[in-house]
Amino acid sequence: MVDAKPVIAVLSCNGSTVTTDHRPATRLIVATLKGVKVFERGATRDAWQLRSTALEDKHISAILYEPRSGLVFAGAHWNQGLYVSRDGGLSFEPSMNGISRPHVYALAAQHRGDQTVLFAGTEPSALYRSDDLGASWKDLPGIWDVPETDQWKFPPPPHVAHVKDIAWHPSNPRRLYVCIEQGALLISDDDGQSWTENRAYADIEQDMFRHDNHRVLFQSNPSRYIMCGGEGLDVTFDDGASWSKVMKRSDRIGYPDAMFIDPRDENTVYVAGPQAGPGLWAKWGTSNPTFMASRDFGRTWQERRNGLPEDLVGNIEAMGLHHHGDEITIFAGTATGEIYVTDDAALNWSRLATGLPSIAKNGHFRWFLPEAERAAAEAMMRECGEAYA
């Protein structure tokens, strides 16, 4: 189907899902409720075909492709661990040396000159670092030395907070940012040894879920960045000293999560998500998700869903962006097992696959199950919480 060196793109909820090459992607690695799915195509206009499945008994939440080494990492929910692939996502082996909390939630890779630094975030909240491409990991326990960690909590069972996102300052690699869902936006200026919390974004009257942070993205000017979460979307133009809310819970996307800055124009932002938070999805029978774009860094928004079904039920839980030359391809995955793709910045979408296991973080898949199956999933989540204790 494809040559021995495919051009890789990834689709997952909590990994590093931006890939870059001068060529369009020919392999798509997808994180699902039942393992890693690998799709391939022979050429740009060919249809994508499912080639393989790995780790089929594991709920994969995060995929990380590290282009310098060619390694692919897969993090699994529910204490199922972290894995590494040396063949482009076709097969995996454990990568757990030094990781004591095996519910892996977030993954990120940072390049510092010739050095590659990997980060893994877990539930319960912990941050791990690897300087040897995952051969060993070191805990960075300083994230727990900030005030009010006793208030870190996640509403669904087992009610335990997790590291949702890991980012860094675009010009100072030792300045790290970690989103705790729910609980904090943490910032370290000493490469993860000590941390402070930024609370300037938190509107006391509107902070219903208390510091529910999902993702942080930076412009090239590091004082300008954007953060999405359970209370909407906020931007700062002064390095976090003050914030402006540009998307609220009452807006068309009330619970933004999947988000990109266009690598060709840093004022263009893409966001996907549901009309409201997960608690209403079962009641409504849909999450009513959509995709939106802003060309002025969040001030105004345009819905872009041409080609997406009008009755799309499962939330758009995951997105991947592949930057090739002067073009981008965006992949979107849903909690009801569909993948959609666009090659024109979401002006037009087409369906890549359907009938897959859920592409969803944590327990979000359960809201689209029949009642009995949902109860079984929640029992499993509570059991996992007991294992933490």
Side-chain angles (χ1 to χ4, degrees):
M1 294 178 62
V2 296
D3 60 28
K5 293 183 179 180
V7 181
I8 289 176
V10 298
L11 177 60
S12 74
C13 299
N14 303 308
S16 294
T17 54
V18 176
T19 53
T20 302
D21 197 280
H22 67 278
R23 300 161 294 172
T26 57
R27 177 175 291 181
L28 177 65
I29 304 175
V30 184
T32 81
L33 182 67
K34 295 183 179 180
V36 175
K37 305 287 185 181
V38 174
F39 289 83
E40 289 186 342
R41 61 180 178 177
T44 303
R45 291 187 173 86
D46 290 352
W48 291 92
Q49 302 291 334
L50 179 62
R51 171 175 175 176
S52 68
T53 301
L55 303 174
E56 193 166 6
D57 60 338
K58 295 172 174 57
H59 181 176
I60 305 300
S61 167
I63 299 287
L64 167 64
Y65 170 56
E66 200 294 293
R68 291 181 175 179
S69 64
L71 299 177
V72 178
F73 293 85
H77 281 321
W78 316 123
N79 292 335
Q80 294 179 324
L82 176 64
Y83 301 85
V84 61
S85 171
R86 305 181 191 281
D87 56 10
L90 302 181
S91 63
F92 288 83
E93 59 191 59
S95 177
M96 289 292 295
N97 183 20
I99 294 180
S100 59
R101 298 182 177 186
H103 184 153
V104 178
Y105 218 100
L107 295 170
Q110 182 187 33
H111 293 144
R112 305 179 179 186
D114 294 335
Q115 181 188 19
T116 298
V117 182
L118 305 181
F119 295 95
T122 68
E123 179 178 312
S125 299
L127 181 65
Y128 296 90
R129 169 178 171 158
S130 174
D131 293 290
D132 54 14
L133 294 173
S136 62
W137 297 85
K138 179 182 178 181
D139 189 8
L140 299 175
I143 64 171
W144 284 94
D145 294 334
V146 298
E148 299 183 5
T149 57
D150 60 313
Q151 296 189 48
W152 293 3
K153 191 175 296 183
F154 193 52
H159 311 297
V160 176
H162 47 255
V163 171
K164 178 68 171 68
D165 183 58
I166 305 158
W168 43 84
H169 192 282
S171 58
N172 178 5
R174 291 173 56 85
R175 189 175 200 199
L176 308 177
Y177 295 74
V178 165
C179 289
I180 303 294
E181 188 183 30
Q182 302 171 202
L185 170 61
L186 300 179
I187 303 173
S188 172
D189 286 309
D190 56 10
D191 215 12
Q193 298 308 302
S194 64
W195 298 81
T196 57
E197 182 184 354
N198 184 313
R199 297 186 178 184
Y201 63 90
D203 184 321
I204 294 176
E205 294 182 358
Q206 298 184 33
D207 196 19
M208 181 185 303
F209 293 108
R210 193 186 182 279
H211 307 178
D212 184 6
N213 307 311
H214 292 169
R215 205 174 305 269
V216 172
L217 299 176
F218 290 86
Q219 290 191 335
S220 56
N221 178 344
S223 66
R224 298 166 61 96
Y225 49 100
I226 189 166
M227 180 174 69
C228 64
E231 300 296 339
L233 197 152
D234 299 89
V235 297
T236 177
F237 299 97
D238 54 13
D239 198 20
S242 63
W243 297 77
S244 298
K245 187 167 288 294
V246 295
M247 190 175 284
K248 304 184 294 295
R249 288 183 64 85
S250 57
D251 289 337
R252 177 61 183 88
I253 296 179
Y255 186 82
D257 188 351
M259 179 174 71
F260 296 120
I261 291 177
D262 192 319
R264 307 165 302 174
D265 173 16
E266 61 182 16
N267 285 314
T268 297
V269 182
Y270 304 113
V271 175
Q275 186 173 3
L280 290 173
W281 297 351
K283 179 180 179 180
W284 290 354
T286 177
S287 64
N288 195 18
T290 195
F291 183 97
M292 302 191 80
S294 170
R295 301 185 67 179
D296 51 16
F297 206 56
R299 291 183 181 90
T300 60
W301 293 90
Q302 176 189 35
E303 196 166 6
R304 294 188 183 178
R305 54 173 301 121
N306 185 46
L308 295 177
E310 288 298 323
D311 58 350
L312 190 60
V313 172
N315 184 38
I316 299 174
E317 291 273 313
M319 288 203 300
L321 185 151
H322 182 68
H323 181 204
H324 49 104
D326 294 327
E327 300 181 50
I328 60 170
T329 299
I330 300 174
F331 304 92
T334 74
T336 44
E338 301 97 11
I339 299 175
Y340 297 90
V341 61
T342 174
D343 291 307
D344 57 9
L347 295 176
N348 298 281
W349 293 87
S350 60
R351 192 169 65 186
L352 186 153
T354 188
L356 299 174
S358 177
I359 302 167
K361 72 171 186 178
N362 214 340
H364 279 190
F365 69 95
R366 75 190 192 280
W367 299 110
F368 308 101
L369 297 174
E371 187 172 345
E373 293 181 34
R374 189 186 317 148
E378 291 181 343
M380 179 273 294
M381 294 163 68
R382 287 190 290 271
E383 183 179 345
C384 185
E386 294 170 0
Y388 294 157

